[in-house]
């Protein structure tokens, strides 16, 4: 909406804050004749560009390699009405920035970082500063199991251990064995009660909140007990 015309002093500064246009005009006044036509100068004012906001999913800084990340753009203000929206990934080196669609999923497999950024473009003014959404990507753990891989049938008290100080330990054992202690800890105790190829497996959540894609399986051979044989004569004569 245009304001009413108001008196202007030659050379005076006019702030363009919150304006979309400015005009200054002049004409020569007369006493008897018609006044002259106006000479007018005009400026179209581009509103200061302000970057939009990015809503992160998930809204955390650190994620795991098997996670999916995305960001939803709320449009910025001012400028020429265009929001730039780009993403890049890091897997040793940063990729070049590429166009991103608001809300699109980005897989974190094989990556160490993901960034999404936006800014409001401008035709006359400088574009806005960037708003950036960032995730650090942590690799998945690979649990290691330590313990005996060759045991005897009906042997008891075998211990199998993995990394300490993790959470949500999940142990499993094949049908030929029994976990007798430590099922929710880093170390379990096992009795083996069937021969053949057996196994124990484990998964956990590490200090970064990540868990392996698949549990680690540790193969164990359960050997049958020996059957001793005795050789010798099975009959004697008295006095021999």
């Amino acid at each position: 909406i245009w304001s009413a015309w108001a008196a202007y002093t030659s050379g005076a500064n006019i702030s363009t804050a919150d304006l979309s246009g400015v005009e200054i005009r002049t004409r020569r006044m007369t006493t008897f004749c018609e006044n002259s036509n106006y000479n007018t100068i005009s400026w179209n004012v581009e509103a200061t560009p302000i970057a939009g906001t990015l809503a992160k999913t998930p809204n955390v800084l650190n994620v795991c390699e098997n996670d999916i990340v995305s960001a939803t753009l709320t449009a910025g203000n001012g400028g020429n009405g265009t929001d730039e929206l780009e993403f890049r990934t890091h897997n040793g080196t940063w990729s070049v920035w590429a166009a991103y669609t608001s809300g699109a999923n980005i897989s974190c497999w094989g990556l160490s970082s993901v960034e999404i950024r936006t800014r409001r473009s401008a035709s006359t003014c400088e574009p806005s500063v960037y708003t950036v959404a960032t995730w650090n990507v942590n690799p998945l753990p690979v649990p290691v199991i330590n313990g005996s891989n060759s045991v005897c049938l009906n042997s008891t008290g075998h211990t199998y251990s993995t990394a300490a100080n993790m959470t949500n330990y999940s142990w499993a054992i094949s049908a030929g064995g029994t976990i007798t202690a430590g099922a929710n800890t880093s170390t379990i105790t096992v009795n083996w009660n069937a021969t053949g190829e057996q196994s124990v497996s484990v998964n956990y959540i590490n200090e970064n909140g990540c868990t392996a894609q698949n549990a680690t399986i540790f193969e164990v051979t359960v050997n049958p007990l020996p059957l001793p044989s005795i050789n010798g004569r099975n009959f004697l004569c008295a006095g021999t």
Side-chain angles (χ1 to χ4, degrees):
I1 299 174
W2 283 104
S3 65
W5 287 100
Y8 174 72
T9 300
S10 178
N13 291 330
I14 299 173
S15 172
T16 58
D18 299 322
L19 302 181
S20 59
V22 176
E23 289 185 343
I24 299 173
R25 69 181 183 179
T26 185
R27 67 177 176 175
R28 173 67 66 155
M29 305 294 289
T30 67
T31 303
F32 301 106
C33 303
E34 291 290 326
N35 297 328
S36 73
N37 292 328
Y38 282 104
N39 283 330
T40 305
I41 55 176
S42 301
W43 296 266
N44 294 320
V45 180
E46 185 175 70
T48 301
I50 300 172
T53 59
L54 293 171
K56 296 171 60 177
T57 302
N59 188 21
V60 295
L61 177 60
N62 297 304
V63 296
C64 299
E65 196 175 9
N66 58 345
D67 284 333
I68 299 293
V69 299
S70 65
T72 302
L73 171 67
T74 298
N77 294 294
N80 61 14
T82 300
D83 292 294
E84 298 176 14
L85 189 57
E86 301 173 309
F87 81 102
R88 66 177 182 170
T89 60
H90 191 276
N91 62 350
T93 58
W94 283 106
S95 66
V96 298
W97 288 100
Y100 175 72
T101 301
S102 177
N105 290 332
I106 299 174
S107 170
C108 294
W109 275 114
L111 303 179
S112 58
S113 296
V114 177
E115 288 186 345
I116 299 172
R117 70 180 184 181
T118 184
R119 70 176 178 179
R120 176 56 67 109
S121 299
S123 299
T124 303
C125 306
E126 290 293 321
S128 73
V129 297
Y130 283 103
T131 295
V132 182
T134 301
W135 294 268
N136 298 321
V137 181
N138 294 304
L140 301 184
V142 180
V144 173
I145 299 174
N146 298 303
S148 299
N149 62 0
S150 181
V151 298
C152 294
L153 176 65
N154 297 329
S155 57
T156 62
H158 294 282
T159 59
Y160 295 89
S161 62
T162 189
N165 302 317
M166 305 301 169
T167 60
N168 288 55
Y169 289 99
S170 178
W171 289 93
I173 194 166
S174 58
T178 303
I179 298 175
T180 61
N184 298 313
T185 71
S186 62
T187 301
I188 58 171
T189 303
V190 171
N191 294 344
W192 294 107
N193 45 45
T195 59
E197 297 304 315
Q198 307 294 338
S199 66
V200 294
S201 64
V202 71
N203 209 341
Y204 53 69
I205 299 175
N206 70 4
E207 66 276 11
N208 295 318
C210 302
T211 189
Q213 178 121 13
N214 298 297
T216 293
I217 299 174
F218 185 80
E219 302 290 344
V220 178
T221 299
V222 180
N223 300 293
L225 297 179
L227 296 174
S229 61
I230 300 174
N231 298 312
R233 297 174 65 181
N234 60 1
F235 64 92
L236 303 170
C237 293
T240 60

